[in-house]
Structures are given as C-alpha cells and as structure tokens.
Amino acid sequence: MTDEIVRTSLRGFPVRAVAVTTTEVTREAVRRHQAGQAGALALGRGLTAGLLLATLTKDEERVSLQVLGDGPLGGLTVDASSAGTARGYVKNPHVAMNVALPAASSAAAGRLSLAEVVGSAGVVSAVRDLGLRESFRGQTSLASGEIDEDVERYLLESEQIASALACDAVVAPDGTVMFAGGILLQALPGSDGAAIVAAASEGLRVGLARILATRPENAEEIIIAALGERFGEIQLLDRRPVSFHCPCSRARAATSLALLGNAELSQMILDDGKAEVTCNFCRARYQFDEAELETIRREISKSTAPAS
C-alpha cells in the first residue's frame, strides 16, 4: 500500500480532519538507521506528526520538527513538506525500550510508551518555512515524552490552534514496522470547534492504536474509523501520496565542508588528506579526496580575499 495523506472537512461541524499513512516512510527511515523498537516507534510517530503539521496551510510549506528530551533516545528531528515528502532521524536509534508496556493513559489500547526513552524534561520546537524571507519559529516544553502528545501541546500553546493529534506505529520487538499513521483534528479559525476537538483528544490516541492494528487500506479509513458516526458526513478535500525523500547531495556536502573554514580544511588536508560527510537524515556518505578538499579550500580563499 502506498502511503498517503488526506484532508477532509466534516459537514455541519466547525472541524477539519487530516489523516496520513506512513508505513513505508517509516520503514525506509528505520532501514537507513537500523533502528530498534524504540527508535522505530519514535520515527513512526515523529514522521507522522511532521507530515500532519505540514498540512496546516494551503501554501507550499516545509516544516522542521524537533523533540529534544533528556532520555537515552537523545532527540528526534523530522523534516516534512506539504508536498508529502518526509525524512527524519533519532540521535540514538539503537536504544532499548526501558519499559515495553502500554502507556498509563492508554493501557486498554496496548499503546506503547516512549516516555522512558524520550525523557520528561525537554522541548518541542518547530520551524515553518513558507518560502518567504522570514520563517515562523515556535517552542514549548515536553508534555509527556510520547511525541504526539508533545506536538499537540505545541500546537495548542505555541501556535494557539485547538488541535487533537494522534500518531502511532505498530512495531515488533525487533523494530519491524507493521503499520504507521495518524490523524489530526483542528477547529476551524474563528469557530466554536475548540470544545469538540478538546473532547476528542484523549480518545483519539486510545482509538488510533486499535485502528492501526487492523491495517486500514487508506488514510480516509483512519478518519472514518476514528470518528465513526459522531461527526456525520466526511467530505474529501485533497489526497496526495507520501514518500521518504532526502534532498542531500554531493554539492551540499561540499558546502558543509566549506563552512569549516580555510584553517580547519588546511589542517584536515595535512592530517588525513581526505574527508567523509554523512547525512544525518538518510545516512548517505560522500567522500572527498585531497585534491577535492584543496579545491574547496581555494574557493574559500578566493571568496574571502580582500578586494584590491
């Protein structure tokens, strides 16, 4: 099944619903980072949350999301776009689940808890890039360490959008991802939908774990199963594919080396005569020999030379 994201409205209710399936996206991230169960679960929830955040405007948008806690996972970084592309990584993808038990708030649903590995102290930060000169930046403290609950708090406090967010993945103890996806409910601007969204928040996360375990055929089925008949007719506004994509390249790797500066590059040439740049997101490796490093160093010297 191809991953997808759908945007919908709910006839007669001042609420919109967005759902996404991220099974293949999460599997690709897990494969590239060789993540264990905790890392796979964090990537599943994080990639899903990032893609849902990237649907908040009608414009072409890129969202950078970070969840940085004091737990052994070491932090999660996700980059997603409104076009349906996403990439992400966790600092320590091999960390073991300290407590592979259901979260206390969702025990009946069998929802695994990430709190022990993400941590209880830390921040959620997001940068929204709309292609303008200035980007929107926001930050809040961690709510629970469960990632989706933390991002929901970010939306409520930093962006002041009445939101209910549920993101999850069905992950085996060896890190194999069976299914991943999520749903976002939001009150329409200037409406009285905040109370409806608030009432749905906790139940949405409990129900999502059960829904994903049935492996729904598409993202629209997640919305139908999560909302049932409570909100009447669901009107489809948009459907688009979702995929793992990393725009890293050899040219960008060379640019990162240039940022080291003339002195450090000169020392690198003397000490090693080579360099390797590894992309944090996709683990692609770019190797540079002595001649290539010297070319980069000379270009730096030209650009920083005083005008005669």
Side-chain angles (χ1 to χ4, degrees), residues 52-87:
L52 289 171
L53 284 184
T55 70
L56 297 188
T57 69
K58 296 180 180 179
D59 303 306
E60 291 299 315
E61 180 178 7
R62 180 166 292 278
V63 172
S64 296
L65 172 68
Q66 283 193 314
V67 179
L68 304 176
D70 59 354
L73 194 69
L76 162 78
T77 302
V78 169
D79 183 45
S81 76
S82 57
T85 63
R87 58 180 182 161

Side-chain angles (χ1 to χ4, degrees), residues 193-206:
I196 298 173
V197 170
S201 177
E202 180 60 29
L204 206 62
R205 279 187 287 273
V206 173

Side-chain angles (χ1 to χ4, degrees), residues 23-262:
T23 307
E24 296 303 324
V25 174
T26 303
R27 285 174 178 168
E28 183 62 18
V30 169
R31 182 188 70 81
R32 289 174 180 267
H33 296 280
Q34 296 297 296
Q37 185 182 30
L41 185 56
L43 285 167
R45 290 185 188 173
L47 288 164
T48 301
L51 282 162
L52 289 171
L53 284 184
T55 70
L56 297 188
T57 69
K58 296 180 180 179
D59 303 306
E60 291 299 315
E61 180 178 7
R62 180 166 292 278
V63 172
S64 296
L65 172 68
Q66 283 193 314
V67 179
L68 304 176
D70 59 354
L73 194 69
L76 162 78
T77 302
V78 169
D79 183 45
S81 76
S82 57
T85 63
R87 58 180 182 161
Y89 69 92
V90 290
K91 186 175 181 181
N92 299 311
H94 311 301
V95 66
M97 293 284 284
N98 288 344
V99 183
L101 296 172
S105 61
S106 309
R111 175 175 151 95
L112 295 180
S113 174
L114 280 173
E116 292 291 332
V117 293
V118 172
S120 57
V123 298
V124 175
S125 61
V127 178
R128 294 187 177 279
D129 183 1
L130 295 172
L132 306 175
R133 291 185 178 181
E134 295 183 359
S135 299
F136 174 82
R137 298 172 182 268
Q139 181 174 293
T140 56
S141 59
L142 284 183
S144 65
E146 300 296 351
I147 297 180
D148 53 354
E149 294 176 24
D150 301 311
V151 176
E152 180 182 283
R153 178 176 181 173
Y154 163 81
L155 287 169
L156 291 169
E157 295 186 1
S158 181
E159 300 195 6
Q160 298 183 348
I161 303 174
S163 306
L165 178 67
C167 306
D168 221 334
V170 181
V171 182
D174 65 355
T176 300
V177 178
M178 272 76 81
F179 205 93
I183 182 171
L184 171 66
L185 296 182
Q186 290 189 316
L188 297 179
S191 75
D192 58 353
I196 298 173
V197 170
S201 177
E202 180 60 29
L204 206 62
R205 279 187 287 273
V206 173
L208 182 64
R210 297 192 186 100
I211 293 167
L212 296 187
T214 68
R215 304 189 187 187
E217 293 186 5
N218 52 51
E220 198 171 352
E221 281 196 6
I222 293 178
I223 297 176
I224 294 171
L227 303 185
E229 299 180 353
R230 290 177 297 166
F231 295 97
E233 183 182 350
I234 297 170
Q235 297 178 301
L236 181 65
L237 302 177
D238 178 66
R239 185 192 304 273
R240 64 187 62 182
V242 167
S243 62
F244 182 96
H245 173 68
C246 185
C248 74
S249 64
R250 187 172 183 80
R252 291 191 177 191
T255 299
S256 70
L257 287 172
L259 294 175
L260 297 175
N262 196 327

